[in-house]
Amino acid sequence: MTRQIGRHAVVVGAGMSGLTVGHALANHFERVTLLERDRLPAGIGHRVGTPQDKHLHALLAGGQGALTELFPGFEQDLVAAGGVPIRVAGDMRVEQVGYDPFPQRDLGWTAYTMSRPLIEFLVRRYAEQRPNIVLRPGCRATELVTSDDGTAVTAVRCVTAEGAQETLPADLVVDASASGALTLALLRSVRLPLPETSTVGVGRFYATTVFQIPDDAPDDWKLVMTFSNPQENSRRGMLMPLEGNRWMLSTGDQDGGLPPADWAGVLEYLQGLRTPTIYNAVKALQPLGEVRRHVFQESVWHHFERLETVPRGILPVGDAFCRFNPIYGQGMTLAAQEACLLGDLLPAAALSPDPLAELQQSFLCEVGGLIEGPWVMSAINDYIYPHTRGERPADFANSVRFGAALNRLAARDPAIHKLAVEVQHLLKPRSAYQDPDVMRRVMAEMAAA
């Protein structure tokens, strides 16, 4: 029998992070309440609080595995709902300087593409099926309540969907909001130091459109990505299949301002990509709806894991902890992997004399290692573009040379190609590159260059 460690856990936010974490907690709490400020759609639909859900979302293989671990049968449910199977990297045309395309090899596994509303709907349905999970849409958390001495969180104040004020007692509060504002406000209120913050000023602008896939679509790829020469501009494009036999196109850059808001302007914009592949695929099509635009300003990592003291009973997760540049598809995957980490830690915490303190401490000790790899990968790729704001790490130039050498090896060697993609998909850590044979070959490639 599963040992419970508390009566009531409150999760603030019912996005991917809140839903997956709530599911993990439900095994060890009598009741889990998810507070979501948005009105949740009854089916597959957009949420007002997530404007980015109208744009491309990639579920990396590491996220797919984590969601399958949390929800057995997830992959089958995703396929049944219309998720599009993609053989990595055989079905993917990746165009980058020097490779148009990069070798299209079947690396041995299937990923799936879908809209963000579809995957969130599936995960929300799993949560709704748990009898001890309660979703409260339209309910906005406003404040965390502490004990008289400020050492522990005891409740959450919120405004209900009907506009009433309510206080929910809680043994544990998980901050799965978009910014971590509640946790930061809590630290200020009890006069504890705020966490150090790492930021990467991306300032990337997106324009996204959706089409029916035409009967004469190319048969040598299902997904195409076109990257610019970073020294010339930051313009890029991606065309990806969705459920319902649709394509979603996103394009944009950092230094050119907002992309066009009309289809004619987007078509002209596409002609500025480094290759004509995407333009040729969509030039004769008409969008199914309006052109959607979005701006992502910066990646932010609040280093809660470095704090010496955190009030008992609060746990920031997901975007509240670290918000990634969405172009690399890491956000949903990290959310699911953090939920798996929490699920792995809960049984041991339940055996501790103070389960809640043990859970908080062990999660904060380990989550930084989970975040660091994808953070470094995305930061290096962002800093390649001159307009990216922020202080480049001291070893940045060498990291770029290492990445370029690894890429050249991957183009020639399927085994290195597979390893690089496994790291990109968060199936393996970046430390996999430190394998002696891999390091020897990369160093030789760097020397030869």
Side-chain angles (χ1 to χ4, degrees):
M1 182 177 177
T2 302
R3 183 172 178 178
Q4 294 186 340
I5 66 174
R7 296 186 62 187
H8 190 205
V10 175
V11 180
V12 179
M16 286 296 294
S17 184
L19 290 167
T20 52
V21 164
H23 179 83
L25 291 174
N27 294 323
H28 292 271
F29 284 81
E30 289 183 22
R31 183 163 51 98
V32 177
T33 301
L34 275 68
L35 305 180
E36 173 53 55
R37 65 180 182 179
D38 285 349
R39 303 278 184 171
L40 296 175
I44 301 170
H46 297 290
R47 286 197 294 123
V48 174
T50 55
Q52 73 275 16
D53 74 357
K54 297 182 177 69
H55 300 265
L56 282 173
H57 277 70
L59 179 63
L60 303 180
Q64 183 178 314
L67 288 170
T68 300
E69 179 181 335
L70 290 165
F71 313 111
F74 167 77
E75 189 171 331
Q76 293 89 331
D77 290 344
L78 181 58
V79 172
V84 182
I86 300 283
R87 291 298 289 178
V88 181
D91 288 337
M92 303 165 63
R93 181 179 175 91
V94 179
E95 301 176 334
Q96 51 184 274
V97 176
Y99 306 97
D100 290 320
F102 202 81
Q104 288 180 247
R105 304 183 178 106
D106 189 331
L107 298 180
W109 77 87
T110 299
Y112 296 89
T113 58
M114 75 301 293
S115 66
R116 167 65 181 262
L118 170 60
I119 193 168
E120 196 167 296
F121 165 75
L122 289 177
V123 175
R124 187 166 63 246
R125 189 171 64 183
Y126 292 128
E128 291 171 340
Q129 292 170 351
R130 297 291 297 267
N132 63 332
I133 292 181
V134 176
L135 269 72
R136 296 191 56 180
C139 190
R140 180 172 56 89
T142 59
E143 184 183 5
L144 301 180
V145 181
T146 65
S147 57
D148 291 340
D149 60 5
T151 62
V153 174
T154 60
V156 180
R157 289 200 179 99
C158 59
V159 178
T160 71
E162 296 73 32
Q165 303 280 338
E166 188 174 345
T167 300
L168 299 177
D171 302 297
L172 175 68
V173 177
V174 175
D175 186 354
S177 63
S179 63
L182 284 174
T183 305
L184 296 173
L186 166 69
L187 295 174
R188 293 188 190 98
S189 70
V190 297
R191 302 184 185 279
L192 285 174
L194 297 180
E196 300 172 27
T197 301
S198 297
T199 61
V200 179
V202 178
R204 182 163 284 277
F205 306 87
Y206 300 94
T208 298
T209 45
V210 177
F211 319 86
Q212 286 296 135
I213 298 178
D215 294 336
D216 61 350
D219 58 8
D220 57 338
W221 52 261
K222 288 185 177 180
L223 179 155
V224 60
M225 293 180 283
T226 303
F227 298 93
S228 63
N229 183 336
Q231 304 311 312
E232 296 177 357
N233 62 67
S234 58
R235 187 172 295 197
R236 65 177 66 178
M238 182 173 179
L239 187 63
M240 183 179 83
L242 304 177
E243 68 274 9
N245 193 41
R246 295 174 298 162
W247 270 338
M248 178 175 275
L249 164 69
S250 276
T251 188
D253 60 29
Q254 287 177 256
D255 51 357
L258 276 173
D262 62 282
W263 177 229
V266 170
L267 271 178
E268 182 179 351
Y269 192 87
L270 290 174
Q271 291 179 288
L273 292 177
R274 197 177 50 79
T275 75
T277 305
I278 294 178
Y279 173 77
N280 288 339
V282 302
K283 64 183 179 182
L285 305 181
Q286 286 298 316
L288 296 176
E290 63 183 320
V291 176
R292 304 280 189 174
R293 298 193 293 177
H294 180 65
V295 180
F296 180 80
Q297 291 293 1
E298 62 182 6
S299 302
V300 180
W301 183 356
H302 297 296
H303 292 281
F304 292 110
E305 79 282 4
R306 297 178 184 174
L307 293 176
E308 293 185 7
T309 304
V310 179
R312 185 176 183 275
I314 179 65
L315 209 58
V317 300
D319 283 359
F321 214 120
C322 185
R323 184 172 68 248
F324 290 91
N325 182 346
I327 200 167
Y328 304 113
Q330 297 165 326
M332 292 195 299
T333 292
L334 259 294
Q337 289 184 336
E338 287 178 17
C340 286
L341 170 62
L342 197 65
D344 291 341
L345 296 173
L346 277 161
L351 300 175
S352 169
D354 189 345
L356 291 173
E358 174 64 25
L359 180 66
Q360 181 188 56
Q361 181 179 3
S362 56
F363 182 82
L364 291 177
C365 282
E366 295 195 31
V367 71
L370 201 61
I371 294 172
E372 183 177 13
W375 176 269
V376 171
M377 284 192 291
S378 60
I380 290 173
N381 286 328
D382 285 333
Y383 280 138
I384 289 174
Y385 295 96
H387 286 79
T388 301
R389 304 181 308 280
E391 184 177 351
R392 274 100 177 133
D395 64 345
F396 173 69
N398 192 60
S399 295
V400 173
R401 291 179 60 230
F402 184 96
L406 184 74
N407 201 49
R408 292 193 297 272
L409 280 175
R412 301 196 301 266
D413 186 336
I416 298 294
H417 188 185
K418 182 177 181 180
L419 174 63
V421 174
E422 287 173 333
V423 173
Q424 291 166 6
H425 274 254
L426 307 188
L427 289 170
K428 290 184 177 179
R430 290 185 72 249
S431 59
Y433 294 149
Q434 296 173 11
D435 174 85
D437 183 59
V438 174
M439 287 295 293
R440 176 186 59 78
R441 295 183 62 191
V442 173
M443 292 302 165
E445 185 73 24
M446 291 172 69

